[in-house]
Amino acid sequence: AVSPIARDIIETASLVNGAGVGIELARAKHQANDPYFLQPMDGVDSTGYRASWWTQFYCILWRSWLSVLKDPMLVKVRLLQTAMVASLIGSIYFGQVLDQDGVMNINGSLFLFLTNMTFQNVFAVINVFSAELPVFLREKRSRLYRVDTYFLGKTIAELPLFIAVPFVFTSITYPMIGLKAGVSHYLTTLFIVTLVANVSTSFGYLISCA
């Protein structure tokens, strides 16, 4: 028995001069009648994307942001953990004065600033992409979005948390240790610690992708 699709191909091939053109027309007819086939938009061929770059980016960003909001307990735990570690470091190096011993202690506290922001943020994202790899590969093969829109949307959705963590940490430890007074000095320290945290996050993304 000959299937209806095969009959359509044979009839179309017999009417068109050239078997190759006939097969392409029959395939296009079959795809047009198939409700599960994504039809190309105007100006986009069948191998392209159905949405623009900005539309892909917006959808990925919104989905990633909803996934962050879906688990508020994780955000609270991270902020609470940061506050506890900051309080512990501030208690150890509390009230330093600018003498020889105080300068050495301040150097030790700054070292803990860097190590805490580095390892905490690296291990926070080390499983991000590997956990979503099956979903990403399936959607990428379906040409729903590009790799760059996925990466940017995913990272920007988690950016507020990686800004809040350095803010909480620096706001607690800076006055407890007795670092240089002044709003400008505090903001400079906060800016540097935030940069360290986000560079560490990027390195964690690198490990996750690898």
Side-chain angles (χ1 to χ4, degrees), residues 108-173:
S109 66
L110 294 179
F111 173 76
L112 291 179
F113 264 63
L114 298 179
T115 54
N116 183 72
M117 286 295 98
T118 299
F119 292 106
Q120 178 181 357
N121 289 285
V122 166
F123 289 111
V125 299
I126 200 168
N127 290 322
V128 168
F129 293 121
S130 58
E132 296 185 0
L133 185 61
V135 176
F136 168 75
L137 291 178
R138 182 175 67 250
E139 295 178 345
K140 179 65 175 64
R141 287 165 184 163
S142 300
R143 307 194 68 79
L144 296 180
Y145 48 75
R146 298 171 174 82
V147 177
D148 55 346
T149 56
Y150 172 78
F151 180 81
L152 290 175
K154 187 71 177 174
T155 53
I156 293 177
E158 298 179 352
L159 186 61
L161 179 61
F162 295 117
I163 294 177
V165 168
F167 175 77
V168 172
F169 183 83
T170 307
S171 299
I172 295 175
T173 54

Side-chain angles (χ1 to χ4, degrees), residues 77-88 165 168-169 172:
V77 168
R78 285 207 58 194
L79 293 178
L80 179 61
Q81 177 186 3
T82 301
M84 292 177 63
V85 173
S87 300
L88 178 61
V165 168
V168 172
F169 183 83
I172 295 175

